[in-house]
């Protein structure tokens, strides 16, 4: 642990998360490599890990999938689930047929910490005070030369689609300050640059909390052009959650928000983009960090509850429309499958999947 980053116990600090993905890439050079996609306001590298067979080859025939974590600084569990996706892929390669199939046939990019400066600020505050409610990046809004309250831009209000609309603020110091212009922040610009260079078909951005799987759009109550497909994908993801099922809903059913990553990914780049709001939330209203992040002994439970659901985005990336067929079959049989009363073989048979080589976390 690097003392500069503070100590988050079982949660990864930014430095620890970066060390973790560097280690993974070093141990699996055939299927994993690191790319620095940009630098934060304070010059910290924003690192992505690409996971795919023949990882150095950009293969236009292999669909691309994007996962993002810790866009919002205080939502540290979102980085843990991102790291969980990485672990599942590299650990399962060669032993788990489902995972091996994904790594062989997809190009999967994971950015576990989109917001390094915010992540460092949270670790510092939690170490010093036991709590942090830092959400944005660390843009020096007030020009004081140091990171203090009132600084920061909400990166998930800084993307280009619907930027400046309702559910975002033009006031520096607001928790939802959208920044001076779309993609004004180096962190969102880095994601834009990555997305512009690639051809992502599906994406999942991890946030906390609420226990939701959200689909576009967020900036308008109007349904998305692909509303039925987006809804079906989100519901199929939900049905893959082994421990507790979230509510799949359109973003605006939570609240209207403008300038979020999913709307830009979906409407500008044609990506089937989803947000997981991990964790139903802690009851301790007096501690923001604990409200957004489960107790550290429960991290693995929440990772296991979400990784398989998130990998569905990679599973369908060859043709997302297959989600409609699966949804219709499930709905015809009476709604969400209850994994608690049956074996996975029953589940696979229920949805008409091959049981062999198909695996979900249990
Ligand atoms: Zn968030």
């Amino acid at each position: 642990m690097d003392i500069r980053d503070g100590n988050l116990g079982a949660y990864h600090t930014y430095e620890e998360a970066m060390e973790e993905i560097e280690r993974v890439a070093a141990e699996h050079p055939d299927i994993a490599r690191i790319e620095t996609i940009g630098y934060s306001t304070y010059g910290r590298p924003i690192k992505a890990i690409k996971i795919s067979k023949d990882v150095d080859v950009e293969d236009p025939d292999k669909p691309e999938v994007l996962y993002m974590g810790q866009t919002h600084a205080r939502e540290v569990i979102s980085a843990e689930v991102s790291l969980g996706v990485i672990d599942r892929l590299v650990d399962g390669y060669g032993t788990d047929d489902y995972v091996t199939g994904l790594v062989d046939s997809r190009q999967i990019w994971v950015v576990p910490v989109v917001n390094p400066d915010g992540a460092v600020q949270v670790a510092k505050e939690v170490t010093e005070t036991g709590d942090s409610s830092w959400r944005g990046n660390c843009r020096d809004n007030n020009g004081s030369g140091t990171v203090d309250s009132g600084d920061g831009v909400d990166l998930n209000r800084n993307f280009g689609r619907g930027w400046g609309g309702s559910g975002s603020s033009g006031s520096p110091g607001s928790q939802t300050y959208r920044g001076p212009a779309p993609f004004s922040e180096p962190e969102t610009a880095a994601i834009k640059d990555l997305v512009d260079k690639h051809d992502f078909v599906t994406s999942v951005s991890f946030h906390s909390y609420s226990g939701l799987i959200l689909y576009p759009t967020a900036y308008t109550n109007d349904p998305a052009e692909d509303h039925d497909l987006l809804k079906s994908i989100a519901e199929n993801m939900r049905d893959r959650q082994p421990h507790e099922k979230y509510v799949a809903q359109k973003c605006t059913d939570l609240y209207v928000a403008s300038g979020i990553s999913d709307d830009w990914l979906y409407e500008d780049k044609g990506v089937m983009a989803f947000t997981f709001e991990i964790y139903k939330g802690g009851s301790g209203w007096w501690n923001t960090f604990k409200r957004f992040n489960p107790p550290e002994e429960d991290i693995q439970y929440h990772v296991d509850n979400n990784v398989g659901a998130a990998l569905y985005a990679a599973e369908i990336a060859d043709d997302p429309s297959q989600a409609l067929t699966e949804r219709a079959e499930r709905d015809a049989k009476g709604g969400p499958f209850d994994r608690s009363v049956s074996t996975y073989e029953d589940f696979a048979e229920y949805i008409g999947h091959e049981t062999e080589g198909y695996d979900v976390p249990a």
Side-chain angles (χ1 to χ4, degrees), residues 189-207:
I191 296 298
K192 181 180 187 300
D193 193 44
L194 177 70
V195 173
D196 286 346
K197 279 188 204 149
H198 294 275
D199 187 17
F200 293 112
V201 179
T202 54
S203 72
V204 176
S205 183
F206 299 113
H207 286 251

Side-chain angles (χ1 to χ4, degrees), residues 300-312:
Q300 194 60 47
Y301 170 94
H302 292 280
V303 168
D304 291 342
N305 195 46
N306 286 287
V307 167
L311 286 181
Y312 184 64

Side-chain angles (χ1 to χ4, degrees), residues 108-275:
I108 300 167
W109 290 77
V110 187
V111 185
V113 183
V114 171
N115 180 5
D117 294 345
V120 169
Q121 184 67 14
V122 164
K124 176 174 177 286
E125 292 182 359
V126 168
T127 303
E128 290 173 356
T129 72
D131 193 10
S132 175
S133 57
W134 200 273
R135 172 176 164 99
N137 70 353
C138 289
R139 169 188 273 268
D140 189 9
N141 292 334
N142 56 17
S144 67
T146 59
V147 181
D148 46 24
S149 67
D151 284 344
V153 166
D154 183 343
L155 298 177
N156 210 29
R157 300 293 183 275
N158 188 242
F159 284 78
R161 174 56 57 168
W163 183 87
S166 35
S168 73
S169 172
S171 302
S174 164
Q175 283 264 328
T176 53
Y177 175 47
R178 64 178 79 107
F183 300 111
S184 57
E185 304 311 294
E187 297 86 1
T188 51
I191 296 298
K192 181 180 187 300
D193 193 44
L194 177 70
V195 173
D196 286 346
K197 279 188 204 149
H198 294 275
D199 187 17
F200 293 112
V201 179
T202 54
S203 72
V204 176
S205 183
F206 299 113
H207 286 251
S208 71
Y209 64 95
S210 290
L212 298 171
I213 298 175
L214 300 170
Y215 53 89
T217 49
Y219 76 98
T220 171
N221 285 306
D222 295 343
E225 189 180 331
D226 300 294
H227 177 84
D228 291 348
L229 176 56
L230 292 161
K231 180 171 186 281
S232 293
I233 295 170
E235 291 178 351
N236 292 343
M237 287 169 162
R238 172 203 64 201
D239 288 352
R240 282 165 167 74
Q241 295 190 286
H243 296 324
E244 50 184 80
K245 298 195 191 306
Y246 292 173
V247 174
Q249 66 183 34
K250 184 174 181 293
C251 289
T252 45
D253 293 338
L254 178 61
Y255 46 61
V256 174
S258 302
I260 79 161
S261 60
D262 285 358
D263 283 350
W264 177 76
L265 283 162
Y266 170 66
E267 291 208 337
D268 289 60
K269 308 304 289 187
V271 182
M272 296 292 142
F274 301 86
T275 288

Side-chain angles (χ1 to χ4, degrees), residues 29-33 50 52-59 107:
D30 47 333
I31 58 164
R33 71 175 175 86
K50 180 189 175 190
S52 186
K53 185 186 179 191
D54 303 323
V55 70
D56 292 325
V57 178
E58 294 298 317
D59 185 342
Q107 300 179 95

Side-chain angles (χ1 to χ4, degrees), residues 11 37 51 58 89 95 97 107 128 153 175 181 265 275 308 325 331 356:
Y11 280 100
I37 63 168
I51 299 172
E58 294 298 317
L89 291 172
T95 58
D97 289 347
Q107 300 179 95
E128 290 173 356
V153 166
Q175 283 264 328
L265 283 162
T275 288
T325 310
D331 286 344
E356 193 179 347

